[in-house]
Amino acid sequence: MSGPTAPVTAAEVLDVYRRHLSRGRARLASMTGAAMEVASRGAYVWDADGKEYLDCGGYGVFLLGHCHPQVVEAVTAQIRRHPMATRLLLEPVAATAAAELAAVTPPGLDRVHFVNSGAEAVETAIKLARAQGRTRLVSAVGGYHGKTTGALAVTSRPLYQDPFRPLLPAEHVPFGDLDELAKVLGHGGPACLLLEPVQGEGGVVLPAPGYLAGAQRLCAEHGAFFVLDEIQTGLGRLGTWWGADPEDVRPDVLLVGKGLSGGIVPVAAAVATDAAYTPFDRDPFLHTSTFAASPVATAAAAAAVRATVDEGLVERAAVLGHAILARVEAALAPLRGDVVADVRGRGLLIGIEMCDERTAGELVLHLLDAGLLTNHSLNAHRVVRLTPPAVLRDADLERIGTAFTTAAGALLRSASSLPGRV
Ligand code: PLP
């Protein structure tokens, strides 16, 4: 019996999307001219027509770019040697990855539980807190922690939550507001607080200095469990190893994902203090998942951390971040006010807040035309987000500047019809 033939043309792929994957995604594809990505290397992605894109998108995954040689080598060697474990015996690759990761996390965060996705890392943290009596969930308005049902309870966005209610009960405090946080933690029993150092999907929202340290202090005061979700901000994305670093914050659990994959194999982790990890020490079967900590995924994680250290990518992220922010600000300066509301960022997490959602969509499409891939923000549709790799070369900076200048020109032409503009 012959099986279905593989789709080749964009029209064939669209048809399979409609029949088997997602009609919604198929509709969205028409906006991007049904371009199909088929290859990648370093900071670049190519479509089926051979067009080259500089990848400043990828929703934060590609800190090491695409196909980083050190990660490819580690993963392919592991696939040949022993890709999946029986889980009955000790397995050295997971052990190496745990040691590599613990060596770069803030002091005291030494206990590593590997999982397959960011949302699963969030679930892990919530369960560690609940197993220790912190059953009230508190997170920030605009915060994004994933879409599995537990994680969704703390992802404060009715659009994604409402169809699935009732969820686990959770309270949402304004991000950056320590007075409100004190009120919520001070009433209603022991809590688990989940925060991001900078809200990524919330639209690159940077809290005032002192907020994280203040939140940690309040958690200590009220016996709350503190989970810092660095799935998007960690591993150098902000130009420091962790968003926790500038304020010397040490949560009970730090969450890592996205870049930990090396851009190659999905893997995430919850990294805990000894005390926070106690329930899993007591019973190693309390929280398990068949594929978690597989040798192939942990080979990617170990290689990703090692490459970040070896290539000095955290420092490089800080330098690149300043350079990109300056270029984007300069290119968009003529549009500030009635088209572009704000440009902000830290390290390689940069947000361009547009005055409305429609123009945000237009900016993404103009940049795509100019060969630059970006992200929209799941919790803030007016904010176009850049999450560039830390392996960009200096020449790529010029390319980013040029793409923004071109996109700004296109936006200016349509904005010249706005009242008050000539
Ligand atoms: N936490 C944060 C801060 C995130 O940005 C994301 C994803 O964007 C998640 C959790 C969920 O990760 P995943 O999509 O891998 O489940």
Side-chain angles (χ1 to χ4, degrees), residues 316-339:
R316 179 74 179 148
V319 172
L320 287 169
H322 284 298
I324 295 171
L325 191 63
R327 280 165 174 79
V328 174
E329 275 172 342
L332 297 180
L335 293 161
R336 283 302 285 268
D338 50 357
V339 180

PDB file of all heavy atoms in Angstrom, residues 316-339:
ATOM      1  N   ARG A 316      28.585  39.292  24.979  1.00  0.00           N
ATOM      2  CA  ARG A 316      28.296  39.690  23.596  1.00  0.00           C
ATOM      3  C   ARG A 316      26.826  40.149  23.469  1.00  0.00           C
ATOM      4  O   ARG A 316      26.525  41.106  22.760  1.00  0.00           O
ATOM      5  CB  ARG A 316      28.564  38.490  22.677  1.00  0.00           C
ATOM      6  CG  ARG A 316      28.287  38.714  21.216  1.00  0.00           C
ATOM      7  CD  ARG A 316      29.331  39.574  20.532  1.00  0.00           C
ATOM      8  NE  ARG A 316      29.041  39.735  19.114  1.00  0.00           N
ATOM      9  CZ  ARG A 316      29.341  40.812  18.403  1.00  0.00           C
ATOM     10  NH1 ARG A 316      29.960  41.848  18.969  1.00  0.00           N
ATOM     11  NH2 ARG A 316      29.055  40.883  17.123  1.00  0.00           N
ATOM     12  N   ALA A 317      25.928  39.481  24.201  1.00  0.00           N
ATOM     13  CA  ALA A 317      24.506  39.861  24.156  1.00  0.00           C
ATOM     14  C   ALA A 317      24.321  41.292  24.652  1.00  0.00           C
ATOM     15  O   ALA A 317      23.524  42.056  24.097  1.00  0.00           O
ATOM     16  CB  ALA A 317      23.676  38.887  24.992  1.00  0.00           C
ATOM     17  N   ALA A 318      25.068  41.662  25.689  1.00  0.00           N
ATOM     18  CA  ALA A 318      24.938  43.021  26.230  1.00  0.00           C
ATOM     19  C   ALA A 318      25.375  44.041  25.184  1.00  0.00           C
ATOM     20  O   ALA A 318      24.697  45.049  24.936  1.00  0.00           O
ATOM     21  CB  ALA A 318      25.770  43.155  27.506  1.00  0.00           C
ATOM     22  N   VAL A 319      26.526  43.773  24.532  1.00  0.00           N
ATOM     23  CA  VAL A 319      27.062  44.704  23.529  1.00  0.00           C
ATOM     24  C   VAL A 319      26.108  44.811  22.338  1.00  0.00           C
ATOM     25  O   VAL A 319      25.740  45.908  21.888  1.00  0.00           O
ATOM     26  CB  VAL A 319      28.460  44.209  23.059  1.00  0.00           C
ATOM     27  CG1 VAL A 319      28.964  45.024  21.887  1.00  0.00           C
ATOM     28  CG2 VAL A 319      29.445  44.238  24.217  1.00  0.00           C
ATOM     29  N   LEU A 320      25.675  43.649  21.845  1.00  0.00           N
ATOM     30  CA  LEU A 320      24.774  43.642  20.683  1.00  0.00           C
ATOM     31  C   LEU A 320      23.458  44.336  21.010  1.00  0.00           C
ATOM     32  O   LEU A 320      22.901  45.069  20.188  1.00  0.00           O
ATOM     33  CB  LEU A 320      24.482  42.201  20.254  1.00  0.00           C
ATOM     34  CG  LEU A 320      25.612  41.446  19.558  1.00  0.00           C
ATOM     35  CD1 LEU A 320      25.265  39.960  19.445  1.00  0.00           C
ATOM     36  CD2 LEU A 320      25.882  42.029  18.164  1.00  0.00           C
ATOM     37  N   GLY A 321      22.962  44.103  22.212  1.00  0.00           N
ATOM     38  CA  GLY A 321      21.683  44.689  22.611  1.00  0.00           C
ATOM     39  C   GLY A 321      21.716  46.207  22.525  1.00  0.00           C
ATOM     40  O   GLY A 321      20.812  46.830  21.945  1.00  0.00           O
ATOM     41  N   HIS A 322      22.788  46.811  23.061  1.00  0.00           N
ATOM     42  CA  HIS A 322      22.915  48.278  22.995  1.00  0.00           C
ATOM     43  C   HIS A 322      22.931  48.745  21.544  1.00  0.00           C
ATOM     44  O   HIS A 322      22.273  49.715  21.171  1.00  0.00           O
ATOM     45  CB  HIS A 322      24.216  48.739  23.671  1.00  0.00           C
ATOM     46  CG  HIS A 322      24.134  48.712  25.171  1.00  0.00           C
ATOM     47  ND1 HIS A 322      23.248  49.477  25.876  1.00  0.00           N
ATOM     48  CD2 HIS A 322      24.833  48.009  26.094  1.00  0.00           C
ATOM     49  CE1 HIS A 322      23.381  49.246  27.173  1.00  0.00           C
ATOM     50  NE2 HIS A 322      24.334  48.354  27.328  1.00  0.00           N
ATOM     51  N   ALA A 323      23.718  48.043  20.732  1.00  0.00           N
ATOM     52  CA  ALA A 323      23.890  48.460  19.329  1.00  0.00           C
ATOM     53  C   ALA A 323      22.569  48.347  18.564  1.00  0.00           C
ATOM     54  O   ALA A 323      22.219  49.227  17.763  1.00  0.00           O
ATOM     55  CB  ALA A 323      24.975  47.600  18.667  1.00  0.00           C
ATOM     56  N   ILE A 324      21.809  47.281  18.814  1.00  0.00           N
ATOM     57  CA  ILE A 324      20.542  47.092  18.081  1.00  0.00           C
ATOM     58  C   ILE A 324      19.524  48.124  18.537  1.00  0.00           C
ATOM     59  O   ILE A 324      18.841  48.759  17.716  1.00  0.00           O
ATOM     60  CB  ILE A 324      20.011  45.654  18.272  1.00  0.00           C
ATOM     61  CG1 ILE A 324      20.975  44.652  17.647  1.00  0.00           C
ATOM     62  CG2 ILE A 324      18.618  45.503  17.660  1.00  0.00           C
ATOM     63  CD1 ILE A 324      20.674  43.201  17.966  1.00  0.00           C
ATOM     64  N   LEU A 325      19.434  48.322  19.842  1.00  0.00           N
ATOM     65  CA  LEU A 325      18.458  49.292  20.372  1.00  0.00           C
ATOM     66  C   LEU A 325      18.713  50.676  19.758  1.00  0.00           C
ATOM     67  O   LEU A 325      17.770  51.353  19.317  1.00  0.00           O
ATOM     68  CB  LEU A 325      18.562  49.339  21.898  1.00  0.00           C
ATOM     69  CG  LEU A 325      17.459  50.085  22.643  1.00  0.00           C
ATOM     70  CD1 LEU A 325      16.111  49.408  22.422  1.00  0.00           C
ATOM     71  CD2 LEU A 325      17.752  50.132  24.143  1.00  0.00           C
ATOM     72  N   ALA A 326      19.989  51.068  19.689  1.00  0.00           N
ATOM     73  CA  ALA A 326      20.321  52.390  19.133  1.00  0.00           C
ATOM     74  C   ALA A 326      19.887  52.484  17.674  1.00  0.00           C
ATOM     75  O   ALA A 326      19.316  53.501  17.239  1.00  0.00           O
ATOM     76  CB  ALA A 326      21.828  52.640  19.264  1.00  0.00           C
ATOM     77  N   ARG A 327      20.131  51.414  16.909  1.00  0.00           N
ATOM     78  CA  ARG A 327      19.767  51.456  15.477  1.00  0.00           C
ATOM     79  C   ARG A 327      18.251  51.496  15.284  1.00  0.00           C
ATOM     80  O   ARG A 327      17.733  52.189  14.427  1.00  0.00           O
ATOM     81  CB  ARG A 327      20.364  50.249  14.749  1.00  0.00           C
ATOM     82  CG  ARG A 327      21.834  50.470  14.415  1.00  0.00           C
ATOM     83  CD  ARG A 327      22.504  49.172  14.028  1.00  0.00           C
ATOM     84  NE  ARG A 327      23.879  49.400  13.581  1.00  0.00           N
ATOM     85  CZ  ARG A 327      24.912  49.605  14.395  1.00  0.00           C
ATOM     86  NH1 ARG A 327      24.737  49.643  15.701  1.00  0.00           N
ATOM     87  NH2 ARG A 327      26.130  49.793  13.905  1.00  0.00           N
ATOM     88  N   VAL A 328      17.548  50.708  16.088  1.00  0.00           N
ATOM     89  CA  VAL A 328      16.084  50.671  15.948  1.00  0.00           C
ATOM     90  C   VAL A 328      15.500  52.028  16.347  1.00  0.00           C
ATOM     91  O   VAL A 328      14.638  52.579  15.651  1.00  0.00           O
ATOM     92  CB  VAL A 328      15.482  49.525  16.812  1.00  0.00           C
ATOM     93  CG1 VAL A 328      13.966  49.572  16.800  1.00  0.00           C
ATOM     94  CG2 VAL A 328      15.972  48.173  16.298  1.00  0.00           C
ATOM     95  N   GLU A 329      16.010  52.587  17.441  1.00  0.00           N
ATOM     96  CA  GLU A 329      15.509  53.897  17.881  1.00  0.00           C
ATOM     97  C   GLU A 329      15.736  54.948  16.794  1.00  0.00           C
ATOM     98  O   GLU A 329      14.841  55.731  16.484  1.00  0.00           O
ATOM     99  CB  GLU A 329      16.229  54.346  19.166  1.00  0.00           C
ATOM    100  CG  GLU A 329      15.568  53.774  20.405  1.00  0.00           C
ATOM    101  CD  GLU A 329      16.361  54.043  21.684  1.00  0.00           C
ATOM    102  OE1 GLU A 329      17.573  54.360  21.598  1.00  0.00           O
ATOM    103  OE2 GLU A 329      15.755  53.906  22.756  1.00  0.00           O
ATOM    104  N   ALA A 330      16.934  54.937  16.204  1.00  0.00           N
ATOM    105  CA  ALA A 330      17.253  55.949  15.184  1.00  0.00           C
ATOM    106  C   ALA A 330      16.340  55.785  13.969  1.00  0.00           C
ATOM    107  O   ALA A 330      15.787  56.758  13.451  1.00  0.00           O
ATOM    108  CB  ALA A 330      18.726  55.832  14.774  1.00  0.00           C
ATOM    109  N   ALA A 331      16.146  54.534  13.535  1.00  0.00           N
ATOM    110  CA  ALA A 331      15.338  54.312  12.319  1.00  0.00           C
ATOM    111  C   ALA A 331      13.882  54.709  12.541  1.00  0.00           C
ATOM    112  O   ALA A 331      13.217  55.192  11.622  1.00  0.00           O
ATOM    113  CB  ALA A 331      15.436  52.842  11.894  1.00  0.00           C
ATOM    114  N   LEU A 332      13.385  54.490  13.759  1.00  0.00           N
ATOM    115  CA  LEU A 332      11.962  54.739  14.003  1.00  0.00           C
ATOM    116  C   LEU A 332      11.681  56.147  14.532  1.00  0.00           C
ATOM    117  O   LEU A 332      10.511  56.515  14.717  1.00  0.00           O
ATOM    118  CB  LEU A 332      11.396  53.694  14.980  1.00  0.00           C
ATOM    119  CG  LEU A 332      11.419  52.245  14.490  1.00  0.00           C
ATOM    120  CD1 LEU A 332      10.832  51.306  15.535  1.00  0.00           C
ATOM    121  CD2 LEU A 332      10.646  52.088  13.171  1.00  0.00           C
ATOM    122  N   ALA A 333      12.748  56.929  14.735  1.00  0.00           N
ATOM    123  CA  ALA A 333      12.567  58.268  15.319  1.00  0.00           C
ATOM    124  C   ALA A 333      11.518  59.112  14.577  1.00  0.00           C
ATOM    125  O   ALA A 333      10.685  59.762  15.213  1.00  0.00           O
ATOM    126  CB  ALA A 333      13.910  58.995  15.393  1.00  0.00           C
ATOM    127  N   PRO A 334      11.497  59.084  13.224  1.00  0.00           N
ATOM    128  CA  PRO A 334      10.493  59.922  12.539  1.00  0.00           C
ATOM    129  C   PRO A 334       9.048  59.493  12.810  1.00  0.00           C
ATOM    130  O   PRO A 334       8.130  60.240  12.499  1.00  0.00           O
ATOM    131  CB  PRO A 334      10.826  59.713  11.046  1.00  0.00           C
ATOM    132  CG  PRO A 334      12.171  59.087  11.000  1.00  0.00           C
ATOM    133  CD  PRO A 334      12.388  58.385  12.293  1.00  0.00           C
ATOM    134  N   LEU A 335       8.880  58.305  13.375  1.00  0.00           N
ATOM    135  CA  LEU A 335       7.512  57.805  13.604  1.00  0.00           C
ATOM    136  C   LEU A 335       7.084  57.912  15.065  1.00  0.00           C
ATOM    137  O   LEU A 335       5.963  57.516  15.420  1.00  0.00           O
ATOM    138  CB  LEU A 335       7.414  56.337  13.177  1.00  0.00           C
ATOM    139  CG  LEU A 335       7.552  56.077  11.675  1.00  0.00           C
ATOM    140  CD1 LEU A 335       7.913  54.633  11.415  1.00  0.00           C
ATOM    141  CD2 LEU A 335       6.256  56.432  10.961  1.00  0.00           C
ATOM    142  N   ARG A 336       8.015  58.412  15.919  1.00  0.00           N
ATOM    143  CA  ARG A 336       7.687  58.474  17.349  1.00  0.00           C
ATOM    144  C   ARG A 336       6.530  59.416  17.576  1.00  0.00           C
ATOM    145  O   ARG A 336       6.430  60.462  16.958  1.00  0.00           O
ATOM    146  CB  ARG A 336       8.902  58.947  18.166  1.00  0.00           C
ATOM    147  CG  ARG A 336       9.953  57.894  18.373  1.00  0.00           C
ATOM    148  CD  ARG A 336       9.427  56.649  19.074  1.00  0.00           C
ATOM    149  NE  ARG A 336       9.211  56.865  20.486  1.00  0.00           N
ATOM    150  CZ  ARG A 336      10.107  56.635  21.431  1.00  0.00           C
ATOM    151  NH1 ARG A 336      11.281  56.156  21.115  1.00  0.00           N
ATOM    152  NH2 ARG A 336       9.835  56.859  22.688  1.00  0.00           N
ATOM    153  N   GLY A 337       5.624  59.005  18.450  1.00  0.00           N
ATOM    154  CA  GLY A 337       4.477  59.860  18.769  1.00  0.00           C
ATOM    155  C   GLY A 337       3.186  59.218  18.330  1.00  0.00           C
ATOM    156  O   GLY A 337       2.566  58.499  19.101  1.00  0.00           O
ATOM    157  N   ASP A 338       2.822  59.422  17.058  1.00  0.00           N
ATOM    158  CA  ASP A 338       1.517  58.909  16.638  1.00  0.00           C
ATOM    159  C   ASP A 338       1.547  57.530  15.985  1.00  0.00           C
ATOM    160  O   ASP A 338       0.496  56.937  15.728  1.00  0.00           O
ATOM    161  CB  ASP A 338       0.807  59.906  15.710  1.00  0.00           C
ATOM    162  CG  ASP A 338       1.709  60.362  14.574  1.00  0.00           C
ATOM    163  OD1 ASP A 338       2.883  59.940  14.545  1.00  0.00           O
ATOM    164  OD2 ASP A 338       1.236  61.133  13.721  1.00  0.00           O
ATOM    165  N   VAL A 339       2.752  56.985  15.709  1.00  0.00           N
ATOM    166  CA  VAL A 339       2.823  55.630  15.132  1.00  0.00           C
ATOM    167  C   VAL A 339       3.576  54.683  16.084  1.00  0.00           C
ATOM    168  O   VAL A 339       3.104  53.589  16.391  1.00  0.00           O
ATOM    169  CB  VAL A 339       3.506  55.642  13.745  1.00  0.00           C
ATOM    170  CG1 VAL A 339       3.581  54.227  13.168  1.00  0.00           C
ATOM    171  CG2 VAL A 339       2.773  56.566  12.789  1.00  0.00           C
TER     172      VAL A 339
END
